[in-house]
Amino acid sequence: LHPAARAAKSYPVGLELYSVRKALAADLPGTIDAVAKMGYQVVEFYAPYLQWTIPYAKQVRSQLDDLGLRCYSTHNSSAALMPGDPMTKAIELNQVLGTRHIIMASPPPNTSTLEDWTRVAGQLADASKQLAPHGLLAGFHNHLIEWKPLAGGKRVMDVLAEGTPEEFVLQLDVGTVLEAGVDPIAWIKAHPGRIRSVHLKDWAPGSEAQEKGYRVLFGEGVGPWKEIFATVESVGGVEFYLMEQEGSRYSELETAKRCLANYRKLRGK
């Protein structure tokens, strides 16, 4: 961030719209409107957006502008970050939306070995070069599996971080880090400036039937949030935060509202 933004200690908080996926599929404009009224400042669209036409994307952008919302990143299938028509379309749509980051939300099918992941890292490094002239950064969103060691002991995330350029975004999904038993603070400190966005997903030991796991609301799990915020803001290079919820004891929209309230309470805002 620019020094002035750092001094202001103001980081926009948004919603990964997968959190309200049923509502979004039923009524995208109405859902976006509801999210803005809750007080979210940013939205992150996910894979289905790639089916939009350019005129429809322009309609969505117009609504975002009217509501004062920004879309700084999108979640994408692996195809959107490989050469071909999906990447071309992703670039066009993200430029309409005013996006900064095109994030790979799931790896190519049958990616499992060290060799597979090394190849993916190379493809992502190539994607970074291809997106750069368009003012876009490539990135990757971690899941639970990417914290498991591969043959030789390296974790998938280590392979991806080492095989991609410094500007490549390592979007941090905190919940999966917590479930994997990985120290999020150590990961952030080891990759200064690369954690440009963070998914604020909490986690607690226990089953979904007990409303534990990822079904806890933000702030109800075991996440060391104050330390995470302090570290990612001083070292990680975070630009914005995104609430993400896979489901809870409340409806989608009520969940999003309660998570934002918990975030504000935790941050004293």
Side-chain angles (χ1 to χ4, degrees), residues 88-123:
T88 301
K89 189 172 183 189
I91 290 169
E92 287 184 287
L93 289 171
N94 280 273
Q95 287 183 317
V96 169
L97 292 170
T99 304
R100 299 174 184 171
H101 311 154
I102 298 185
I103 306 290
M104 184 184 284
S106 52
N110 305 313
T111 304
S112 58
T113 66
L114 176 59
E115 291 73 20
D116 290 340
W117 282 107
T118 302
R119 183 175 62 252
V120 170
Q123 291 167 331

Side-chain angles (χ1 to χ4, degrees), residues 52-74:
W52 296 353
T53 63
I54 298 300
Y56 183 73
K58 288 179 178 177
Q59 286 179 34
V60 173
R61 173 63 188 273
S62 180
Q63 185 187 5
L64 295 180
D65 289 346
D66 289 346
L67 293 170
L69 284 172
R70 300 299 300 270
C71 176
Y72 290 135
S73 56
T74 55

Side-chain angles (χ1 to χ4, degrees), residues 120-175:
V120 170
Q123 291 167 331
L124 289 169
D126 288 342
S128 289
K129 291 177 191 168
Q130 289 167 298
L131 295 183
H134 303 284
L136 293 161
L137 298 178
F140 187 86
H141 172 90
N142 64 261
H143 315 82
L144 182 64
I145 190 72
E146 285 108 33
W147 299 109
K148 309 270 187 198
L150 297 162
K154 271 190 185 178
R155 300 170 301 186
V156 171
M157 289 308 298
D158 297 321
V159 174
L160 294 179
E162 289 169 16
T164 50
E166 284 296 309
E167 67 272 15
F168 184 83
V169 180
L170 301 173
Q171 187 183 67
L172 181 63
D173 180 304
V174 176

Side-chain angles (χ1 to χ4, degrees), residues 127-253:
S128 289
K129 291 177 191 168
Q130 289 167 298
L131 295 183
H134 303 284
L136 293 161
L137 298 178
F140 187 86
H141 172 90
N142 64 261
H143 315 82
L144 182 64
I145 190 72
E146 285 108 33
W147 299 109
K148 309 270 187 198
L150 297 162
K154 271 190 185 178
R155 300 170 301 186
V156 171
M157 289 308 298
D158 297 321
V159 174
L160 294 179
E162 289 169 16
T164 50
E166 284 296 309
E167 67 272 15
F168 184 83
V169 180
L170 301 173
Q171 187 183 67
L172 181 63
D173 180 304
V174 176
T176 58
V177 177
L178 299 172
E179 185 179 9
V182 171
D183 179 1
I185 307 304
W187 174 257
I188 295 164
K189 287 181 176 177
H191 300 92
R194 301 192 67 183
I195 320 295
R196 293 174 183 258
S197 63
V198 178
H199 271 217
L200 305 180
K201 183 162 68 183
D202 218 333
W203 179 84
S207 69
E208 289 197 356
Q210 300 169 306
E211 293 294 343
K212 298 295 185 182
Y214 297 126
R215 290 186 67 79
V216 294
L217 299 182
F218 172 80
E220 292 181 347
V222 298
W225 292 107
K226 289 192 175 178
E227 196 177 358
I228 288 171
F229 291 136
T231 309
V232 82
E233 288 172 14
S234 62
V235 179
V238 71
E239 297 172 5
F240 55 96
Y241 295 109
L242 293 160
M243 199 65 68
E244 183 189 14
Q245 191 77 28
E246 297 189 9
S248 83
R249 57 197 183 273
Y250 302 106
S251 70
E252 289 180 338
L253 290 167

